[in-house]
Amino acid sequence: MQPPKAADAPDAEPRPDTPGTVGSTLSAVAEEQAERVSGDEPLLPARVHRPSDLMRLLIGVLAVAVLFAFAAFAHGTTTGLEQDITKGTGQAPDLLIKIAGLVSSIAVLLVPVVFAIERLIKRDGLRIADGVLAAVLAHGVTLAADLWVAQSAPGTIQDALTQPQPGDALSDPVHGYLAPVIAYMTAVGMARRPRWRVVLWVVLLLDAFAMLVGGYTTPFSIILTVLIGWTVAYGTLYAVGSPNVRPTGQHLMAGLRRVGFRPVSAMRADETLDSGDQSDRGRRYLVSLEDGPPLDVTVVDREQQAQGFFYRVWRRLTLRGITERRSIQSLRQALEQEALLAYAAIAAGANAPKLIATSELGPDAVMLVYEHIGGRSLDALEDAEITDELLHGAWRQVKALQSRRIAHRRLTGDAILVDRSGTVFVTDLRGGEIAAGDLVLRMDVAQLLTTTGLRVGAERAVAGALEVLGPDAVADCLPLLQPIALSRSTRAALRRLARERSQREREAVLAASDAAKRARAQEHTAQPAVSPDGGADTGPKTGARTDRKALRNQKQAEKRALDDALEEAREEDLLSQMRRQVLLIRPQAPVEPVRLERIKPRTLVSCIAGAIAAYFLISQITQPDFGAVAEQAEWGWVAAAVGFSALSYVAAAMSLLGFVPERVPFGKTVLAQVAGSFVKIVAPAAVGGVALNTRFLQRAGVRPGLAVASVGASQLFGLGCHILLLAAFGYLTGTEKTPSSLTPSRTVIAGLLTVAVLVLVVTAVPFLRKFVVTRVRSLFAGVVPRMLDVVQRPQKLLTGIGGMLLLTGLFVMCLDASVRAFSGPDVPHLSYASIAVVFLAGNALGSAAPTPGGMGAVEGALTLGLIAVGLPKEVAAPAVLLYRLLTLWLPVLPGWLCFNHLTRKGAL
């Protein structure tokens, strides 16, 4: 426990309470001071945003969506349900119906008013304000839902939510007065009070019964009304925040007196729990008593208990074989679990703080009282203070816990406490587990091994574990020495060390490169000139060949020097070092990591990407009349368009490999370009292609910096070719006579002027200039040296530029074939230059658009462009549809297959 921030102890020493004596007066003064504890902790926020409110909001939105989907697609079921309910309620006595309607109509308005008065009397007006705000928002949502159902919703949804009324009218789909009342009652917290909750449900059931029997509503309308009110209420609470009910130090003092202690002061421990896996441990106080040693008190409230909720849910979903504590746990369950673990740890022989008392601090918090242990955590110790005996003490505590199958689950540096005598204690047992399985116990060993390794190095950490646990127990944890099995704070520390290692490697490579350049410059300066009549000079051709060979040898020597420098600077990560140390003792120990992830993030992204692609594909292909389109198409040109689209992936591979001096398999490169057709569905085309190609080159053996530079050089050359081709074809098209009043050459000029204006604006505004320069620099870092390296290889340069020109030509020919497939004899033929301008302009818009694959922007630009150059709308629309189908949608499935194939082979 860290020293307190301040002390509020009274100056006088308290004495026994005797009526009429000075001792009783001092005791009264001490109690009065305890009542007025202030400054014992930072000011708490007045409102908090609870994750539980957000979860209820999302559940409500999902329930509303499911209700609409059920009403839209299960028309027969909804109709039959309404008929059954109408038939059943129609047998109710008229008197009962009238009484229910009268009582519910009065109670729906009276109950909220009565509850508001009760809250105002108890000075809880903020809750009433929250309820009123939620009611107003619910009324607005109700009006919007009524308007949508009446004017735009499908007929099946209207039938499910409305009833015919006299005068060809329909009932309201959502009840305009009931949804605000439900939102109000939920926001003010009536549902959490048993008596008010009973009244609330009785009123709602009576109102629903009266309206159903009277034919004023439908069952789905009532359900939708309740869901809207409930969802809006929790959305309001999450947006504005709920009143903070966390107990303060004064509540803590009162609670301690109720369990028999006589506290003098209570102050927060000087600890900051910013790490994500430690944020729900509770607030800690150091409490001074009138007599006896001080106490360590932990206060756990609902707000702190909810911290890390989404992280725990994610861990439960993604990890297999690991039992995480329940994501939603009551305060009493948390209290009982921590108390059980505290008693079990001491019974197992481990040094753990002794639990003295537990108590509730109202309905929203609990406290646990421990004996005070004066000491410092492992994180607070200096490296020189962490001795081998201290490490052995920490491992002895783990051995004691594991002898009784107790898992700690949080063996980080701040869970190991060292008192003034050097005794090691384990704290923070709240997240532990009784009767733990072998996997969880081995994870504890791996976690503490990594925790100590971060402080004292791999060799001492492994030696300390071997001394206490033995070689077998330590060797069993090797498959769990992987980041996913460690705590969040430990993973962050490992990532920081990895960044530092990468920085040192880069500095070593840069130093070696500078040294090689200086040596080459000195060698070039010291090389003697050869006279024209010298015997060694055999002619200009021989001299040039010798110079090229010498330059090639120098480059190879420089590359070897860089590789040697990188190899010398390369360091093992901490986990690899610890594995190596254990294998020195147990060479036959298993080192293959245990697969702990049930769902990898990449798998989840692939599923989401597939769903998005399917949605956009269905929305695109359901709009046109494919029967008419198929009748008009000339299938010979369709086949030609398919061929041009397939060959474009070969050209894309050439355009990439032309800027990669290293040897990369051509076949896998083509598959990577096909895989890019899947990636660009879920990301902007330029961003997705750059990321995939960079990853592919790294996996192919190209160093990360050079891979980024190669892709950047390819993108830079591609941009230059695109601009030159657009200007050239725009000029050629401007010399032609087209039936359009808007000639492409003027469009090109206007586009170039627009780009120039944008460039001037970006360079003139400092914020925009910094924003663009930062991203461009990170993308094209090292591009210029890479381009110079490629320029010295004419064959590679020819391959790259030729691939780019071929790629553009194939896309233009694919678009041209798509146009010809729907052009009849009466449609004027467009020149190749005109189609090229349309394609280049549309492709530029697609790359700039933030939508995946340029969806929407490319289709609109190509269609408008073809119409502008004289193509009828009836031909332009199906031609663009066919072109996008061949270049964007049909390659999605092959791209997904190639993506998974390359991933399995380790190429991505």
Side-chain angles (χ1 to χ4, degrees), residues 244-318:
N244 196 344
V245 294
R246 296 175 67 177
T248 63
Q250 297 174 359
H251 293 93
L252 173 63
M253 302 288 277
L256 287 171
R257 285 194 293 273
R258 282 197 301 270
V259 293
F261 295 101
R262 305 183 67 183
V264 176
S265 64
M267 286 154 286
R268 285 289 299 273
D270 191 13
E271 292 186 64
T272 57
L273 304 177
D274 296 330
S275 117
D277 53 353
Q278 305 288 340
S279 58
D280 60 341
R281 295 190 310 177
R283 290 179 290 154
R284 300 184 174 190
Y285 293 84
L286 177 61
V287 178
S288 300
L289 303 178
E290 289 187 12
D291 50 357
L295 303 174
D296 290 333
V297 181
T298 301
V299 176
V300 181
D301 54 56
R302 294 190 188 277
E303 305 307 325
Q304 257 175 329
Q305 192 186 25
Q307 293 185 20
F309 169 78
F310 296 108
Y311 175 73
R312 292 195 297 271
V313 170
W314 173 251
R315 295 274 290 184
R316 288 180 68 90
L317 289 175
T318 56

Side-chain angles (χ1 to χ4, degrees), residues 348 400-407 433-439 441:
L401 291 176
Q402 298 204 349
S403 67
R404 302 295 177 87
R405 313 293 296 182
I406 301 174
E433 186 177 334
I434 301 292
D438 290 336
L439 183 64
L441 296 177

Side-chain angles (χ1 to χ4, degrees), residues 609 612-613 616 620 676-689 811 839 842-862 880 883-885 887-889 892:
I612 294 174
F616 280 109
Q620 291 280 335
S677 62
F678 166 70
V679 174
K680 68 182 180 183
I681 290 295
V682 294
V687 177
F811 276 133
F839 163 75
N843 191 50
L845 288 176
S847 299
T851 56
M855 284 180 288
V858 173
E859 287 84 353
L862 292 179
V880 171
Y883 170 76
R884 292 291 280 173
L885 190 65
T887 58
L888 180 67
W889 295 113
V892 169

Side-chain angles (χ1 to χ4, degrees), residues 106 167 238 261 345 369 381 385 450 533 673 689 700 717 722 779 834:
I106 295 175
Y238 185 74
F261 295 101
V369 184
L381 296 177
E385 298 180 272
T450 309
D533 56 351
Q673 305 314 302
F717 263 97
H722 195 98
L779 180 62
S834 300

Side-chain angles (χ1 to χ4, degrees), residues 331 336 363 385 389 415 484 562 590 632 639 689 822 861 863 873 882:
L331 285 172
E336 292 172 351
E385 298 180 272
E389 181 58 32
I484 191 65
L562 292 178
Q632 299 173 6
F822 297 97
T863 304
K873 178 181 179 182
L882 176 62

